[in-house]
Amino acid sequence: MGTKDTTLSAVSKMRLLDEMLGSVKVEGQWSVLLMDNITTQIMTNICGVSDLLDYGISLVDNVAVPRQPSPHLAGIYFITPSQESVRALVSDFNRRGQPQYHKVHIFFSSAVDPAIIQSIHSSDEYREEIHFMATRLATMFSTLKEFPSIRFRAALPPGDEYPPGLESRLLVGQRLAVELYEALAEMQRAGQIPERETCELIITDRGFDPVAPIIHEFTYEAMAHDLLEGTPSLKGKIFTYNSESQGGKTEPKEHVLDERDDMHVDLRHRHFAAASLRISSAMDDLRAQSRLAGRGSSVGQLDLKGMSKLVQALPQYRDQLSNLSAHVELASVLNRAVEARRLTELGKLEQDLVYGDATSKEVIAFLSANQMLPEQEKVRVLMCYSATHQEKLDTTRASQWQKVARLSSASMSAITNLEYLGVPVCKRQRGALASLTFGRKRRKAVRKDREMDEDESQYSLSRFVPVLAEVLENAAMGRLSQEEYPYVRPPGSPSAASGSGFGFQPQQQQGLYSQQSGGGASDYYSGGDSDGTPRGGGGGGGAGVASFRTLRSTGNWAKKASSGGSGAVVGGAPSDTSRALGGGAAGGGDGAGGLGSRMIAFVIGGFTFSELRVAHRMAARTGRDVLLGGTSVQTPSKFIQQVVSLGGDGVGQHAATFEIEQPGAGVSVRRK
């Protein structure tokens, strides 16, 4: 029996090959080894090319040299913890679009400064996106001459069984709130915005209600963007349909669905059945006008599909009736889509799942009986089930779903990747340390029925109400939980203009969760400086700046918007600019001292048309300006694509997420 070789070269070779490369080796998978000048010398002196091949290394390259993306390979970085090498590493993940490698493992040659690890975590677009959101929101408040009390959705500890990177995702809302507060504090000190709070901002993220972007919404505008997105009929807000010209020739015609269309404003948040009745009523008015024009004998009784012919028969009304013609066609297209996709039955199943009236048994029966449904429709009903019946999915059930619904692996990942939003889809191991929440209970996913609006109670498929309705309602009534939505600084605290800053320091916020005991959440997040003691003027002159709501004399823009109701898009796509400028005040009041201060909700991950409807109706009921903003306007197909991309194999993944390990004396940072 030979003695173990304990020479420095032998021990180093064992550490580098067995402990480093061997720990990440996957049979049948090749990897790229990236090194800097120093680690290249170390590796060259210790092992040869054949040794590396045995551990799955097919290519060796210098980390400082620009390379083409190799998304089919894994990347193994072995570098020194120097600023130059870390900068080269980070640059690999600052590119948009295709990821550099399929997955990444990072090893350092010596102990690593925590600041280096933080720089890796903050790489790619993470910090940039937060800064971008904060800047746009700060610009909006500066324009409105408003200073908000800022609340954010508090994160729950994800636990060991959640996907890597969830902790950072859960803290995005908090980090955005802090950075926005810093920006507004600078504006206060410059005297650009009021010193005291004039409105309320609630920052949340898509994980607070993963059902809203998935479930079928049966209101007019939401149905149009859901059922027609990606088809030639609807591009953005432009609806294209065939119209018969005066010469009898059929030609395509475009119609823009926005606030310039009064009928669209009237119809967009109505249940589709109610919208169809409104269109029929408009046609009745047209019928009366046609009788006055001497065409009563040719009108007769028309159904929805035949209404467009009536429009063609009245050339003298062509200009004023162009909007009506477009909506007649749009309603007809939507009606056909509902029938073709069996959405009445599917929609009822989805809503029964959300409200606890259906189980997996009904889901399997529906999927078995409707094999010809589009794959995305099957995925949506399974996502509704998984988001509301949590910790039910195991390997056996996943295999059953995939077989019954005939789903691809990508479609299945749309269901399981809800975990990246903090939704516990998969079954957990039960143990003493399982599902720690530090005193905070998770809300039940199955919802209770809410009282429906009077104008919708007569229609089926109108049960679903987004969680945002409850959040806005509780905020308006002053009962929104400070544990779930703490303040950055409670209203009435000494202002930022005084230079007092936060109750908690931004640099200490990483890893911060709602795990307080004893005192309230505001004590934990906002420090002890929250007694609400009134403060006099001064502080950089900010007290002399008044909100635009108190400066305007007539409030005409708000009163005009109240007739149609429109929420504002803040930070959304450029095509939503008209809403941001013209419609945030459905039923809005005339200032902080009038019907109520302005209330703004911002959804990281994008808001839905159902949530926009909720904001409109909340504004009408409370008489307050209610603005809804987000990083985008979500539609079901877009949301599903984004959820699929959250996984390590997702295409078009925008943000690299890292998992830190420390094998032996080194540190490994894995990108998932």
Side-chain angles (χ1 to χ4, degrees):
M1 182 175 176
T3 59
K4 186 177 180 180
D5 191 347
T6 58
T7 62
L8 177 61
S9 59
V11 173
S12 299
K13 184 174 183 178
M14 179 191 68
R15 293 290 306 276
L16 291 176
L17 295 181
D18 295 339
E19 295 185 16
M20 184 179 78
L21 297 182
S23 67
V24 297
K25 179 184 176 183
V26 177
E27 289 297 329
Q29 182 181 86
W30 291 101
S31 302
V32 180
L33 179 61
L34 289 309
M35 298 180 289
D36 55 27
N37 292 335
I38 294 177
T39 53
T40 298
Q41 292 178 5
I42 295 173
M43 190 67 76
T44 302
N45 291 332
I46 290 176
C47 59
V49 174
S50 60
D51 295 318
L52 297 180
L53 288 172
D54 291 339
Y55 285 84
I57 303 299
S58 63
L59 180 65
V60 177
D61 215 334
N62 192 316
V63 68
V65 177
R67 284 153 276 113
Q68 291 295 320
S70 300
H72 60 289
L73 297 175
I76 301 176
Y77 288 78
F78 176 43
I79 58 176
T80 57
S82 64
Q83 292 292 339
E84 294 77 12
S85 294
V86 171
R87 275 197 296 267
L89 163 67
V90 170
S91 67
D92 279 349
F93 306 102
N94 277 337
R95 303 184 182 95
R96 292 182 177 271
Q98 193 175 34
Q100 186 73 27
Y101 299 109
H102 169 64
K103 59 182 176 181
V104 172
H105 311 279
I106 304 173
F107 296 88
F108 291 101
S109 59
S110 57
V112 187
D113 189 315
I116 296 290
I117 298 296
Q118 180 59 35
S119 70
I120 297 174
H121 275 287
S122 301
S123 65
D124 58 44
E125 303 164 12
Y126 185 75
R127 181 179 295 175
E128 177 186 342
E129 291 294 338
I130 292 176
H131 178 71
F132 181 71
M133 288 186 285
T135 300
R136 296 192 70 174
L137 284 168
T139 301
M140 182 196 72
F141 286 114
S142 175
T143 302
L144 295 174
K145 294 291 187 290
E146 296 265 26
F147 175 51
S149 59
I150 305 174
R151 306 181 72 165
F152 58 92
R153 178 174 176 251
L156 278 171
D160 294 335
E161 295 187 58
Y162 279 90
L166 180 60
E167 177 180 348
S168 296
R169 290 188 180 94
L170 292 177
L171 292 172
V172 170
Q174 178 182 318
R175 288 169 175 163
L176 171 60
V178 169
E179 184 159 340
L180 174 61
Y181 187 93
E182 290 177 328
L184 294 175
E186 290 294 328
M187 293 180 180
Q188 275 190 324
R189 286 189 281 271
Q192 298 173 353
I193 57 176
E195 184 177 324
R196 310 296 283 179
E197 293 86 357
T198 59
C199 62
E200 183 171 15
L201 169 65
I202 301 169
I203 298 174
T204 186
D205 58 82
R206 195 60 271 163
F208 89 118
D209 186 4
V211 175
I214 303 166
I215 195 169
H216 285 85
E217 169 78 1
F218 288 89
T219 51
Y220 188 71
E221 183 180 37
M223 285 182 67
H225 287 274
D226 180 359
L227 304 182
L228 302 183
E229 184 181 52
T231 70
S233 297
L234 190 66
K235 299 293 185 183
K237 295 183 178 182
I238 301 177
F239 173 59
T240 303
Y241 62 101
N242 291 325
S243 176
E244 189 175 330
S245 63
Q246 290 184 353
K249 183 180 179 181
T250 300
E251 54 187 23
K253 188 174 182 180
E254 293 183 347
H255 181 80
V256 181
L257 301 171
D258 62 11
E259 283 74 12
R260 291 168 292 184
D261 178 356
D262 292 338
M263 177 164 282
H264 174 67
V265 171
D266 178 54
L267 297 176
R268 59 185 174 185
H269 296 310
R270 295 183 183 273
H271 190 280
F272 181 64
S276 298
L277 291 176
R278 296 285 288 191
I279 294 174
S280 297
S281 177
M283 295 307 300
D284 289 340
D285 294 340
L286 175 62
R287 187 174 291 111
Q289 294 181 42
S290 69
R291 289 193 183 100
L292 294 176
R295 288 185 171 270
S297 59
S298 64
V299 175
Q301 295 296 321
L302 295 175
D303 58 15
L304 190 62
K305 296 179 180 179
M307 288 179 182
S308 60
K309 296 182 179 179
L310 177 60
V311 176
Q312 302 298 334
L314 298 170
Q316 64 269 44
Y317 298 119
R318 187 174 301 277
D319 291 338
Q320 71 183 83
L321 296 177
S322 60
N323 287 356
L324 179 57
S325 176
H327 288 288
V328 168
E329 295 294 334
L330 178 56
S332 298
V333 172
L334 295 179
N335 197 45
R336 291 194 295 271
V338 169
E339 295 175 359
R341 302 190 191 187
R342 305 194 63 177
L343 294 188
T344 301
E345 184 180 355
L346 177 58
K348 183 180 186 304
L349 175 59
E350 289 176 343
Q351 297 193 15
D352 286 346
L353 287 171
V354 171
Y355 290 99
D357 297 331
T359 65
S360 60
K361 181 179 179 180
E362 285 81 1
V363 173
I364 296 300
F366 177 82
L367 294 176
S368 299
N370 295 275
Q371 294 286 340
M372 301 307 295
L373 274 180
E375 187 168 1
Q376 188 179 96
E377 303 292 2
K378 301 175 186 178
V379 170
R380 289 170 67 173
V381 72
L382 290 171
M383 291 177 78
C384 282
Y385 174 84
S386 299
T388 52
H389 297 69
Q390 298 176 353
E391 298 189 37
K392 298 289 187 181
L393 186 63
D394 56 19
T395 304
T396 302
R397 178 165 288 182
S399 177
Q400 180 190 24
W401 285 2
Q402 190 166 7
K403 182 178 179 180
V404 171
R406 300 178 183 175
L407 298 180
S408 65
S409 298
S411 293
M412 285 301 299
S413 68
I415 301 168
T416 56
N417 281 1
L418 288 173
E419 294 268 356
Y420 287 92
L421 300 180
V423 180
V425 174
C426 302
K427 284 187 176 181
R428 262 54 179 172
Q429 295 293 329
R430 296 302 176 188
L433 299 178
S435 300
L436 288 178
T437 58
F438 295 89
R440 240 184 88 189
K441 294 182 178 179
R442 294 189 181 277
R443 298 184 57 174
K444 291 184 178 180
V446 174
R447 309 181 187 188
K448 293 182 179 180
D449 273 310
R450 293 172 57 91
E451 184 177 348
M452 289 184 287
D453 292 330
E454 184 177 351
D455 60 343
E456 289 191 348
S457 59
Q458 59 183 309
Y459 302 113
S460 61
L461 303 176
S462 57
R463 293 177 69 187
F464 177 73
V465 180
V467 173
L468 184 66
E470 182 180 350
V471 173
L472 293 178
E473 181 180 289
N474 288 338
M477 300 179 70
R479 65 187 188 196
L480 183 62
S481 168
Q482 291 193 37
E483 184 179 358
E484 295 183 16
Y485 287 89
Y487 290 95
V488 172
R489 174 172 292 280
S493 300
S495 75
S498 66
S500 57
F502 304 97
F504 68 93
Q505 295 302 315
Q507 62 267 27
Q508 297 174 349
Q509 68 177 331
Q510 184 175 356
L512 193 62
Y513 288 105
S514 179
Q515 40 188 304
Q516 61 272 23
S517 60
S522 60
D523 294 332
Y524 182 77
Y525 282 98
S526 305
D529 196 16
S530 57
D531 56 1
T533 305
R535 182 179 182 278
V545 180
S547 164
F548 261 142
R549 290 181 294 104
T550 62
L551 293 174
R552 66 187 187 214
S553 58
T554 61
N556 288 335
W557 67 274
K559 294 175 182 177
K560 180 178 180 181
S562 66
S563 63
S566 177
V569 176
V570 182
S575 61
D576 299 305
T577 305
S578 59
R579 289 187 186 177
L581 296 177
D590 285 325
L595 295 177
S597 61
R598 182 177 279 130
M599 184 162 54
I600 303 115
F602 187 84
V603 185
I604 300 169
F607 64 87
T608 67
F609 286 100
S610 61
E611 290 165 339
L612 187 59
R613 167 175 56 88
V614 161
H616 280 281
R617 294 185 178 178
M618 178 60 65
R621 283 199 296 266
T622 63
R624 298 175 64 176
D625 291 2
V626 179
L627 279 69
L628 176 62
T631 51
S632 64
V633 182
Q634 283 289 8
T635 59
S637 60
K638 184 193 302 182
F639 178 73
I640 291 173
Q641 291 173 3
Q642 292 173 352
V643 171
V644 170
S645 74
L646 291 176
D649 296 334
V651 178
Q653 185 174 351
H654 291 302
T657 304
F658 298 90
E659 177 186 16
I660 302 178
E661 299 178 350
Q662 188 155 359
V667 177
S668 169
V669 186
R670 299 186 182 181
R671 177 181 183 269
K672 295 290 186 181

